[in-house]
Amino acid sequence: MSSVPSFKLNTGADAPAIGCGCWAGFTKEEQDAAKDWILMAIKYLIHWPLTLVYEDDNFFPMGPDGVLKTTDYPFTKTWAALEKLHESGKAKAIGVSNFSVKTLEELLKTAKIVPADNQVELHPYLIQEDLVNYCKERGITVTAYASTGYKVVRENPLIVELAEKYKVTSTQVILAWHIARGIAVVPGSKNPEHQKENINLPTLEAEDVKRISALNRNERLSNKPVNGMMHGCTVEQLGW
């Protein structure tokens, strides 16, 4: 088993390769309980390459068509504000989330600071090889959310087989696969035992890493577009 690894960001700062996911849920009670610590987390990341309409006490403002309300405020201006925060010394590193090669290229046309991290949906059914390589070439660390692919991936016969081989859980196998690819993970768990398992990972053989990567289907499980739309944007606009 390995100890908790860390990756060096392009700022020179070290960041743990295994963190804790922070999905707030859909109900007002869940959101109220999670609001403070999620607000703390998202002050270093741009969560999506789009801008939502802000409404008090409403995390998901919807239009009459059932689609999230967005504005035309460019994310490049949001990034410029984050750069000022970084320059002030209040943030050691700034990054983005859910950015594709397309939206990263748009950001980098005007950015003075290259994002330190890009957090995206990534698991064995969505390995995002092109995006991962693009980020690595530019010194951008990649962090995976929905990193285990939920039950559907954890119960894949190959994952189950490897869990038996390494005498660990399916979750541990998948997280170890991410680390072997140089990708950080933020698995979410409120269970103390599962949290301990998430930082106690096996070292996979190179061939097993390749076998897991071969499960790729380019399938999004966490954020599935509906009718070619995702959060008020087309998949073309998002670069998916």
Side-chain angles (χ1 to χ4, degrees):
M1 296 292 187
S2 62
S3 58
V4 180
S6 65
F7 295 135
K8 188 170 289 295
L9 302 179
N10 57 21
T11 62
D14 288 319
I18 305 169
C20 184
C22 54
W23 168 239
F26 286 104
T27 69
K28 187 177 186 306
E29 290 74 17
E30 290 175 315
Q31 293 165 6
D32 286 345
K35 185 176 180 179
D36 289 341
W37 51 272
I38 287 186
L39 283 176
M40 176 66 73
I42 65 175
K43 287 177 181 177
Y44 303 110
L45 287 175
I46 295 180
H47 198 205
W48 281 91
L50 53 89
T51 307
L52 297 181
V53 171
Y54 178 79
E55 294 181 0
D56 287 337
D57 299 321
N58 184 4
F59 276 26
F60 302 103
M62 297 287 185
D65 55 0
V67 175
L68 280 168
K69 296 179 183 178
T70 59
T71 77
D72 57 3
Y73 189 85
F75 59 75
T76 52
K77 287 189 176 180
T78 304
W79 184 252
L82 280 180
E83 289 179 325
K84 290 181 179 178
L85 182 68
H86 181 271
E87 291 166 357
S88 74
K90 293 179 179 179
K92 290 183 178 180
I94 53 176
V96 294
S97 183
N98 295 300
F99 273 59
S100 63
V101 170
K102 177 181 178 178
T103 49
L104 280 171
E105 287 186 335
E106 184 177 346
L107 180 71
L108 292 175
K109 288 178 182 177
T110 58
K112 293 188 294 182
I113 299 174
V114 175
D117 187 75
N118 183 21
Q119 185 179 123
V120 296
E121 179 178 352
L122 201 155
H123 44 71
Y125 283 7
L126 183 71
I127 69 171
Q128 305 235 53
E129 192 73 18
D130 290 343
L131 176 60
V132 169
N133 289 336
Y134 180 91
C135 289
K136 286 183 176 179
E137 288 168 2
R138 287 153 183 81
I140 303 171
T141 300
V142 176
T143 297
Y145 71 78
S147 52
T148 69
Y150 307 118
K151 186 176 180 181
V152 62
V153 179
R154 292 196 298 267
E155 293 185 350
N156 180 279
L158 173 61
I159 301 300
V160 173
E161 172 196 324
L162 293 177
E164 294 174 351
K165 173 181 176 178
Y166 290 97
K167 294 180 173 50
V168 293
T169 66
S170 292
T171 293
Q172 287 171 296
V173 167
I174 298 171
L175 296 183
W177 167 77
H178 283 292
I179 300 303
R181 296 181 72 209
I183 293 168
V185 291
V186 283
S189 176
K190 297 178 182 178
N191 184 306
E193 291 306 313
H194 290 168
Q195 291 173 358
K196 291 176 183 178
E197 290 174 352
N198 291 345
I199 60 173
N200 191 21
L201 305 178
T203 299
L204 302 183
E205 296 174 7
E207 188 58 34
D208 289 334
V209 174
K210 293 180 181 178
R211 292 173 70 197
I212 296 173
S213 295
L215 295 175
N216 182 50
R217 302 178 181 181
N218 292 320
E219 181 180 0
R220 295 180 185 275
L221 300 173
S222 176
N223 285 299
K224 286 188 176 183
V226 178
N227 298 323
M229 299 288 293
M230 186 71 218
H231 294 336
C233 291
T234 66
V235 292
E236 288 79 14
Q237 288 173 310
L238 292 171
W240 291 3

